[in-house]
Structures are given as structure tokens and as C-alpha cells.
Amino acid sequence: RVEPTGIIDYVGICRALADDIREAGGVIRFNEGFVSAREDASGVVVTTDHDELRADVLVNCAGLHSDRVARASGFTPDVRIVPFRGEYF
């Protein structure tokens, strides 16, 4: 038993965040792949493999793919993410 740990209900957290997004007028879309993004006079145009969307801002929280999303959005990140598992052979 480890005292300082906690149990997190990630499904519950995601549902609460989704509710917050919807209450603020946002839309959550599943099963769409990000292709690119670009700024224009009215905000950001995001192209997916299904559609083109307009937004005020784009928040890149793509985890291990965030450098790819940045490049596909016209930015040149100073770093490149190289994921690996760290096993020894």
C-alpha cells in the first residue's frame, strides 16, 4: 500500500471536460484525423480528413505527435519528439 497515491476516474474526468466544452458552445468530433491548420483573418482553419473547421484558436495537445501537428500548422518546432520504450537488448 502506498499512501500518497490516489485513484483517478479518467472516464469521469473526460466526461466532465466534454460537458464543459459543450456548455461553452464547443463541439467534440470523433474519428477524424488532423491534416493541417492555418491562420487566416478570422482565426484558424483546421483541415481534417473529413472536413474543414473554423475556430478562434487551436490548442495542440497531441502528445507524442505534437511536433507533427505543429509542422502541419506551419510552425517549425525547435525539438523533435522521438518516442521509445527504453528496453534493453
Side-chain angles (χ1 to χ4, degrees):
R1 182 168 178 210
V2 180
E3 293 297 330
T5 63
I7 297 173
I8 304 297
D9 178 3
Y10 289 105
V11 173
I13 290 171
C14 288
R15 285 187 180 135
L17 289 172
D19 289 344
D20 290 347
I21 290 168
R22 290 183 185 110
E23 287 172 14
V27 177
I28 300 170
R29 297 170 69 150
F30 297 98
N31 301 315
E32 289 192 51
F34 173 85
V35 175
S36 65
R38 70 183 191 293
E39 289 185 89
D40 70 5
S42 64
V44 181
V45 179
V46 178
T47 304
T48 74
D49 57 4
H50 285 77
D51 204 355
E52 192 170 271
L53 314 166
R54 296 195 160 273
D56 295 331
V57 296
L58 171 66
V59 177
N60 176 358
C61 49
L64 291 175
H65 297 282
S66 60
D67 58 336
R68 295 176 186 177
V69 169
R71 277 193 294 282
S73 301
F75 295 95
T76 306
D78 293 334
V79 297
R80 181 172 166 238
I81 297 172
V82 182
F84 63 93
R85 290 175 50 144
E87 285 125 346
Y88 295 97
F89 295 99

mmCIF file of all heavy atoms in Angstrom, residues 39-78:
data_model
loop_
_atom_site.group_PDB
_atom_site.id
_atom_site.type_symbol
_atom_site.label_atom_id
_atom_site.label_comp_id
_atom_site.label_asym_id
_atom_site.label_seq_id
_atom_site.Cartn_x
_atom_site.Cartn_y
_atom_site.Cartn_z
ATOM 1 N N GLU A 39 -3.630 29.878 -40.119
ATOM 2 C CA GLU A 39 -4.304 31.082 -39.630
ATOM 3 C C GLU A 39 -4.839 31.877 -40.809
ATOM 4 O O GLU A 39 -4.236 31.903 -41.878
ATOM 5 C CB GLU A 39 -3.327 31.951 -38.833
ATOM 6 C CG GLU A 39 -2.949 31.361 -37.493
ATOM 7 C CD GLU A 39 -2.076 32.311 -36.705
ATOM 8 O OE1 GLU A 39 -2.646 33.138 -35.969
ATOM 9 O OE2 GLU A 39 -0.856 32.206 -36.848
ATOM 10 N N ASP A 40 -5.986 32.515 -40.597
ATOM 11 C CA ASP A 40 -6.484 33.491 -41.548
ATOM 12 C C ASP A 40 -7.019 34.681 -40.764
ATOM 13 O O ASP A 40 -6.855 34.748 -39.546
ATOM 14 C CB ASP A 40 -7.509 32.882 -42.513
ATOM 15 C CG ASP A 40 -8.838 32.526 -41.878
ATOM 16 O OD1 ASP A 40 -9.058 32.827 -40.682
ATOM 17 O OD2 ASP A 40 -9.688 31.948 -42.574
ATOM 18 N N ALA A 41 -7.650 35.616 -41.438
ATOM 19 C CA ALA A 41 -8.084 36.856 -40.796
ATOM 20 C C ALA A 41 -9.093 36.627 -39.679
ATOM 21 O O ALA A 41 -9.179 37.417 -38.737
ATOM 22 C CB ALA A 41 -8.674 37.794 -41.841
ATOM 23 N N SER A 42 -9.851 35.517 -39.736
ATOM 24 C CA SER A 42 -10.889 35.286 -38.726
ATOM 25 C C SER A 42 -10.491 34.287 -37.650
ATOM 26 O O SER A 42 -11.273 34.007 -36.754
ATOM 27 C CB SER A 42 -12.173 34.817 -39.404
ATOM 28 O OG SER A 42 -11.962 33.567 -40.038
ATOM 29 N N GLY A 43 -9.298 33.731 -37.707
ATOM 30 C CA GLY A 43 -8.870 32.773 -36.690
ATOM 31 C C GLY A 43 -8.034 31.661 -37.280
ATOM 32 O O GLY A 43 -7.024 31.914 -37.933
ATOM 33 N N VAL A 44 -8.490 30.432 -37.095
ATOM 34 C CA VAL A 44 -7.745 29.258 -37.539
ATOM 35 C C VAL A 44 -8.652 28.383 -38.395
ATOM 36 O O VAL A 44 -9.815 28.164 -38.059
ATOM 37 C CB VAL A 44 -7.241 28.428 -36.329
ATOM 38 C CG1 VAL A 44 -6.440 27.223 -36.798
ATOM 39 C CG2 VAL A 44 -6.418 29.277 -35.390
ATOM 40 N N VAL A 45 -8.112 27.894 -39.500
ATOM 41 C CA VAL A 45 -8.811 26.930 -40.343
ATOM 42 C C VAL A 45 -8.119 25.587 -40.129
ATOM 43 O O VAL A 45 -6.923 25.452 -40.380
ATOM 44 C CB VAL A 45 -8.760 27.325 -41.829
ATOM 45 C CG1 VAL A 45 -9.474 26.286 -42.679
ATOM 46 C CG2 VAL A 45 -9.356 28.706 -42.032
ATOM 47 N N VAL A 46 -8.868 24.609 -39.651
ATOM 48 C CA VAL A 46 -8.328 23.275 -39.380
ATOM 49 C C VAL A 46 -8.895 22.319 -40.426
ATOM 50 O O VAL A 46 -10.116 22.230 -40.604
ATOM 51 C CB VAL A 46 -8.717 22.791 -37.963
ATOM 52 C CG1 VAL A 46 -8.185 21.383 -37.715
ATOM 53 C CG2 VAL A 46 -8.205 23.754 -36.908
ATOM 54 N N THR A 47 -8.012 21.625 -41.105
ATOM 55 C CA THR A 47 -8.430 20.644 -42.097
ATOM 56 C C THR A 47 -8.270 19.256 -41.504
ATOM 57 O O THR A 47 -7.208 18.911 -40.983
ATOM 58 C CB THR A 47 -7.583 20.764 -43.380
ATOM 59 O OG1 THR A 47 -7.691 22.103 -43.868
ATOM 60 C CG2 THR A 47 -8.047 19.786 -44.439
ATOM 61 N N THR A 48 -9.354 18.474 -41.564
ATOM 62 C CA THR A 48 -9.309 17.073 -41.137
ATOM 63 C C THR A 48 -9.492 16.196 -42.356
ATOM 64 O O THR A 48 -9.707 16.693 -43.463
ATOM 65 C CB THR A 48 -10.418 16.762 -40.097
ATOM 66 O OG1 THR A 48 -11.679 16.704 -40.766
ATOM 67 C CG2 THR A 48 -10.453 17.783 -38.981
ATOM 68 N N ASP A 49 -9.450 14.905 -42.160
ATOM 69 C CA ASP A 49 -9.667 14.004 -43.289
ATOM 70 C C ASP A 49 -11.146 13.898 -43.664
ATOM 71 O O ASP A 49 -11.492 13.195 -44.609
ATOM 72 C CB ASP A 49 -9.064 12.627 -43.022
ATOM 73 C CG ASP A 49 -9.583 11.969 -41.767
ATOM 74 O OD1 ASP A 49 -10.487 12.527 -41.101
ATOM 75 O OD2 ASP A 49 -9.071 10.895 -41.413
ATOM 76 N N HIS A 50 -12.020 14.620 -42.946
ATOM 77 C CA HIS A 50 -13.453 14.628 -43.249
ATOM 78 C C HIS A 50 -13.995 16.004 -43.594
ATOM 79 O O HIS A 50 -15.044 16.115 -44.217
ATOM 80 C CB HIS A 50 -14.258 14.109 -42.049
ATOM 81 C CG HIS A 50 -14.186 12.649 -41.846
ATOM 82 N ND1 HIS A 50 -13.090 12.025 -41.293
ATOM 83 C CD2 HIS A 50 -15.075 11.672 -42.114
ATOM 84 C CE1 HIS A 50 -13.315 10.726 -41.225
ATOM 85 N NE2 HIS A 50 -14.511 10.490 -41.719
ATOM 86 N N ASP A 51 -13.322 17.068 -43.150
ATOM 87 C CA ASP A 51 -13.972 18.368 -43.185
ATOM 88 C C ASP A 51 -12.953 19.487 -43.012
ATOM 89 O O ASP A 51 -11.766 19.235 -42.784
ATOM 90 C CB ASP A 51 -14.985 18.429 -42.031
ATOM 91 C CG ASP A 51 -16.119 19.407 -42.244
ATOM 92 O OD1 ASP A 51 -16.116 20.136 -43.252
ATOM 93 O OD2 ASP A 51 -17.004 19.444 -41.377
ATOM 94 N N GLU A 52 -13.440 20.718 -43.116
ATOM 95 C CA GLU A 52 -12.647 21.893 -42.791
ATOM 96 C C GLU A 52 -13.418 22.663 -41.721
ATOM 97 O O GLU A 52 -14.610 22.911 -41.860
ATOM 98 C CB GLU A 52 -12.446 22.754 -44.033
ATOM 99 C CG GLU A 52 -11.420 23.831 -43.852
ATOM 100 C CD GLU A 52 -11.068 24.504 -45.160
ATOM 101 O OE1 GLU A 52 -10.132 24.014 -45.832
ATOM 102 O OE2 GLU A 52 -11.715 25.509 -45.498
ATOM 103 N N LEU A 53 -12.746 23.007 -40.630
ATOM 104 C CA LEU A 53 -13.383 23.648 -39.489
ATOM 105 C C LEU A 53 -12.761 25.008 -39.245
ATOM 106 O O LEU A 53 -11.587 25.218 -39.523
ATOM 107 C CB LEU A 53 -13.191 22.785 -38.229
ATOM 108 C CG LEU A 53 -13.457 21.300 -38.365
ATOM 109 C CD1 LEU A 53 -12.913 20.560 -37.170
ATOM 110 C CD2 LEU A 53 -14.948 21.066 -38.513
ATOM 111 N N ARG A 54 -13.545 25.914 -38.681
ATOM 112 C CA ARG A 54 -13.035 27.232 -38.297
ATOM 113 C C ARG A 54 -13.093 27.353 -36.786
ATOM 114 O O ARG A 54 -14.033 26.876 -36.155
ATOM 115 C CB ARG A 54 -13.852 28.332 -38.936
ATOM 116 C CG ARG A 54 -13.738 28.321 -40.432
ATOM 117 C CD ARG A 54 -14.250 29.625 -41.034
ATOM 118 N NE ARG A 54 -13.710 29.761 -42.373
ATOM 119 C CZ ARG A 54 -12.541 30.312 -42.673
ATOM 120 N NH1 ARG A 54 -11.776 30.786 -41.716
ATOM 121 N NH2 ARG A 54 -12.119 30.398 -43.908
ATOM 122 N N ALA A 55 -12.077 27.989 -36.225
ATOM 123 C CA ALA A 55 -12.016 28.173 -34.776
ATOM 124 C C ALA A 55 -11.304 29.482 -34.471
ATOM 125 O O ALA A 55 -10.588 30.025 -35.320
ATOM 126 C CB ALA A 55 -11.274 27.011 -34.128
ATOM 127 N N ASP A 56 -11.518 29.979 -33.260
ATOM 128 C CA ASP A 56 -10.793 31.171 -32.817
ATOM 129 C C ASP A 56 -9.334 30.832 -32.551
ATOM 130 O O ASP A 56 -8.438 31.604 -32.872
ATOM 131 C CB ASP A 56 -11.415 31.740 -31.544
ATOM 132 C CG ASP A 56 -12.822 32.257 -31.769
ATOM 133 O OD1 ASP A 56 -13.134 32.702 -32.900
ATOM 134 O OD2 ASP A 56 -13.623 32.223 -30.820
ATOM 135 N N VAL A 57 -9.107 29.667 -31.938
ATOM 136 C CA VAL A 57 -7.754 29.226 -31.595
ATOM 137 C C VAL A 57 -7.658 27.715 -31.778
ATOM 138 O O VAL A 57 -8.665 27.011 -31.773
ATOM 139 C CB VAL A 57 -7.356 29.586 -30.143
ATOM 140 C CG1 VAL A 57 -7.304 31.078 -29.953
ATOM 141 C CG2 VAL A 57 -8.276 28.942 -29.150
ATOM 142 N N LEU A 58 -6.448 27.237 -31.899
ATOM 143 C CA LEU A 58 -6.167 25.802 -31.933
ATOM 144 C C LEU A 58 -5.232 25.492 -30.780
ATOM 145 O O LEU A 58 -4.175 26.125 -30.646
ATOM 146 C CB LEU A 58 -5.512 25.401 -33.258
ATOM 147 C CG LEU A 58 -4.969 23.979 -33.337
ATOM 148 C CD1 LEU A 58 -6.113 22.965 -33.263
ATOM 149 C CD2 LEU A 58 -4.164 23.783 -34.607
ATOM 150 N N VAL A 59 -5.622 24.566 -29.943
ATOM 151 C CA VAL A 59 -4.769 24.125 -28.845
ATOM 152 C C VAL A 59 -4.196 22.777 -29.248
ATOM 153 O O VAL A 59 -4.939 21.812 -29.451
ATOM 154 C CB VAL A 59 -5.565 24.004 -27.528
ATOM 155 C CG1 VAL A 59 -4.676 23.482 -26.413
ATOM 156 C CG2 VAL A 59 -6.177 25.346 -27.153
ATOM 157 N N ASN A 60 -2.898 22.714 -29.371
ATOM 158 C CA ASN A 60 -2.215 21.492 -29.772
ATOM 159 C C ASN A 60 -1.898 20.672 -28.521
ATOM 160 O O ASN A 60 -0.976 20.976 -27.789
ATOM 161 C CB ASN A 60 -0.937 21.844 -30.535
ATOM 162 C CG ASN A 60 -0.115 20.635 -30.919
ATOM 163 O OD1 ASN A 60 -0.447 19.497 -30.602
ATOM 164 N ND2 ASN A 60 0.977 20.874 -31.612
ATOM 165 N N CYS A 61 -2.673 19.629 -28.299
ATOM 166 C CA CYS A 61 -2.392 18.718 -27.176
ATOM 167 C C CYS A 61 -2.331 17.297 -27.726
ATOM 168 O O CYS A 61 -3.016 16.401 -27.247
ATOM 169 C CB CYS A 61 -3.428 18.875 -26.060
ATOM 170 S SG CYS A 61 -5.127 18.847 -26.607
ATOM 171 N N ALA A 62 -1.498 17.130 -28.755
ATOM 172 C CA ALA A 62 -1.392 15.868 -29.464
ATOM 173 C C ALA A 62 -0.342 14.935 -28.869
ATOM 174 O O ALA A 62 0.018 13.938 -29.488
ATOM 175 C CB ALA A 62 -1.089 16.135 -30.941
ATOM 176 N N GLY A 63 0.159 15.246 -27.698
ATOM 177 C CA GLY A 63 1.092 14.353 -27.024
ATOM 178 C C GLY A 63 2.327 14.073 -27.848
ATOM 179 O O GLY A 63 3.008 14.996 -28.309
ATOM 180 N N LEU A 64 2.595 12.802 -28.080
ATOM 181 C CA LEU A 64 3.801 12.414 -28.823
ATOM 182 C C LEU A 64 3.759 12.849 -30.281
ATOM 183 O O LEU A 64 4.772 12.782 -30.971
ATOM 184 C CB LEU A 64 4.000 10.896 -28.748
ATOM 185 C CG LEU A 64 4.379 10.362 -27.372
ATOM 186 C CD1 LEU A 64 4.440 8.837 -27.392
ATOM 187 C CD2 LEU A 64 5.707 10.938 -26.911
ATOM 188 N N HIS A 65 2.614 13.311 -30.746
ATOM 189 C CA HIS A 65 2.501 13.790 -32.129
ATOM 190 C C HIS A 65 2.441 15.308 -32.212
ATOM 191 O O HIS A 65 2.192 15.868 -33.272
ATOM 192 C CB HIS A 65 1.260 13.189 -32.794
ATOM 193 C CG HIS A 65 1.310 11.708 -32.906
ATOM 194 N ND1 HIS A 65 2.058 11.061 -33.869
ATOM 195 C CD2 HIS A 65 0.737 10.740 -32.157
ATOM 196 C CE1 HIS A 65 1.930 9.752 -33.711
ATOM 197 N NE2 HIS A 65 1.139 9.535 -32.684
ATOM 198 N N SER A 66 2.661 16.003 -31.111
ATOM 199 C CA SER A 66 2.510 17.456 -31.100
ATOM 200 C C SER A 66 3.507 18.157 -32.021
ATOM 201 O O SER A 66 3.185 19.198 -32.597
ATOM 202 C CB SER A 66 2.611 18.005 -29.685
ATOM 203 O OG SER A 66 3.855 17.691 -29.111
ATOM 204 N N ASP A 67 4.695 17.601 -32.204
ATOM 205 C CA ASP A 67 5.640 18.220 -33.141
ATOM 206 C C ASP A 67 5.146 18.087 -34.576
ATOM 207 O O ASP A 67 5.295 18.999 -35.383
ATOM 208 C CB ASP A 67 7.049 17.634 -32.977
ATOM 209 C CG ASP A 67 7.130 16.129 -33.183
ATOM 210 O OD1 ASP A 67 6.112 15.423 -33.016
ATOM 211 O OD2 ASP A 67 8.233 15.641 -33.501
ATOM 212 N N ARG A 68 4.498 16.976 -34.898
ATOM 213 C CA ARG A 68 3.943 16.786 -36.243
ATOM 214 C C ARG A 68 2.785 17.744 -36.489
ATOM 215 O O ARG A 68 2.653 18.307 -37.577
ATOM 216 C CB ARG A 68 3.466 15.346 -36.425
ATOM 217 C CG ARG A 68 4.579 14.331 -36.369
ATOM 218 C CD ARG A 68 4.027 12.934 -36.470
ATOM 219 N NE ARG A 68 5.080 11.961 -36.275
ATOM 220 C CZ ARG A 68 4.885 10.662 -36.256
ATOM 221 N NH1 ARG A 68 3.660 10.177 -36.411
ATOM 222 N NH2 ARG A 68 5.888 9.839 -36.077
ATOM 223 N N VAL A 69 1.937 17.921 -35.494
ATOM 224 C CA VAL A 69 0.818 18.855 -35.616
ATOM 225 C C VAL A 69 1.356 20.273 -35.798
ATOM 226 O O VAL A 69 0.854 21.042 -36.630
ATOM 227 C CB VAL A 69 -0.122 18.759 -34.397
ATOM 228 C CG1 VAL A 69 -1.130 19.894 -34.391
ATOM 229 C CG2 VAL A 69 -0.845 17.412 -34.393
ATOM 230 N N ALA A 70 2.380 20.631 -35.050
ATOM 231 C CA ALA A 70 2.981 21.964 -35.186
ATOM 232 C C ALA A 70 3.509 22.175 -36.603
ATOM 233 O O ALA A 70 3.235 23.212 -37.229
ATOM 234 C CB ALA A 70 4.105 22.147 -34.160
ATOM 235 N N ARG A 71 4.255 21.208 -37.139
ATOM 236 C CA ARG A 71 4.782 21.339 -38.503
ATOM 237 C C ARG A 71 3.657 21.423 -39.527
ATOM 238 O O ARG A 71 3.723 22.220 -40.462
ATOM 239 C CB ARG A 71 5.720 20.178 -38.828
ATOM 240 C CG ARG A 71 7.130 20.385 -38.306
ATOM 241 C CD ARG A 71 8.121 19.388 -38.899
ATOM 242 N NE ARG A 71 7.863 18.023 -38.484
ATOM 243 C CZ ARG A 71 8.194 17.515 -37.307
ATOM 244 N NH1 ARG A 71 8.805 18.271 -36.416
ATOM 245 N NH2 ARG A 71 7.929 16.269 -37.004
ATOM 246 N N ALA A 72 2.596 20.628 -39.355
ATOM 247 C CA ALA A 72 1.463 20.650 -40.291
ATOM 248 C C ALA A 72 0.657 21.936 -40.162
ATOM 249 O O ALA A 72 -0.208 22.209 -40.988
ATOM 250 C CB ALA A 72 0.563 19.438 -40.050
ATOM 251 N N SER A 73 0.959 22.733 -39.128
ATOM 252 C CA SER A 73 0.285 24.016 -38.921
ATOM 253 C C SER A 73 1.180 25.188 -39.319
ATOM 254 O O SER A 73 0.868 26.337 -39.034
ATOM 255 C CB SER A 73 -0.125 24.148 -37.453
ATOM 256 O OG SER A 73 -0.988 23.090 -37.086
ATOM 257 N N GLY A 74 2.305 24.878 -39.953
ATOM 258 C CA GLY A 74 3.181 25.930 -40.442
ATOM 259 C C GLY A 74 4.241 26.400 -39.470
ATOM 260 O O GLY A 74 4.930 27.384 -39.731
ATOM 261 N N PHE A 75 4.393 25.723 -38.360
ATOM 262 C CA PHE A 75 5.410 26.098 -37.381
ATOM 263 C C PHE A 75 6.622 25.178 -37.526
ATOM 264 O O PHE A 75 6.509 24.046 -37.979
ATOM 265 C CB PHE A 75 4.865 25.989 -35.957
ATOM 266 C CG PHE A 75 3.766 26.966 -35.678
ATOM 267 C CD1 PHE A 75 2.443 26.592 -35.813
ATOM 268 C CD2 PHE A 75 4.060 28.269 -35.293
ATOM 269 C CE1 PHE A 75 1.420 27.494 -35.579
ATOM 270 C CE2 PHE A 75 3.047 29.179 -35.051
ATOM 271 C CZ PHE A 75 1.716 28.792 -35.200
ATOM 272 N N THR A 76 7.765 25.672 -37.101
ATOM 273 C CA THR A 76 8.986 24.877 -37.097
ATOM 274 C C THR A 76 9.427 24.719 -35.652
ATOM 275 O O THR A 76 10.090 25.602 -35.095
ATOM 276 C CB THR A 76 10.101 25.550 -37.922
ATOM 277 O OG1 THR A 76 9.596 25.809 -39.231
ATOM 278 C CG2 THR A 76 11.324 24.652 -38.009
ATOM 279 N N PRO A 77 9.054 23.604 -35.015
ATOM 280 C CA PRO A 77 9.443 23.429 -33.610
ATOM 281 C C PRO A 77 10.954 23.276 -33.473
ATOM 282 O O PRO A 77 11.624 22.765 -34.364
ATOM 283 C CB PRO A 77 8.719 22.162 -33.178
ATOM 284 C CG PRO A 77 8.150 21.541 -34.398
ATOM 285 C CD PRO A 77 8.273 22.507 -35.529
ATOM 286 N N ASP A 78 11.462 23.724 -32.338
ATOM 287 C CA ASP A 78 12.898 23.608 -32.060
ATOM 288 C C ASP A 78 13.298 22.190 -31.685
ATOM 289 O O ASP A 78 14.479 21.875 -31.641
ATOM 290 C CB ASP A 78 13.293 24.545 -30.916
ATOM 291 C CG ASP A 78 13.166 26.000 -31.304
ATOM 292 O OD1 ASP A 78 13.255 26.313 -32.508
ATOM 293 O OD2 ASP A 78 12.962 26.828 -30.401
#
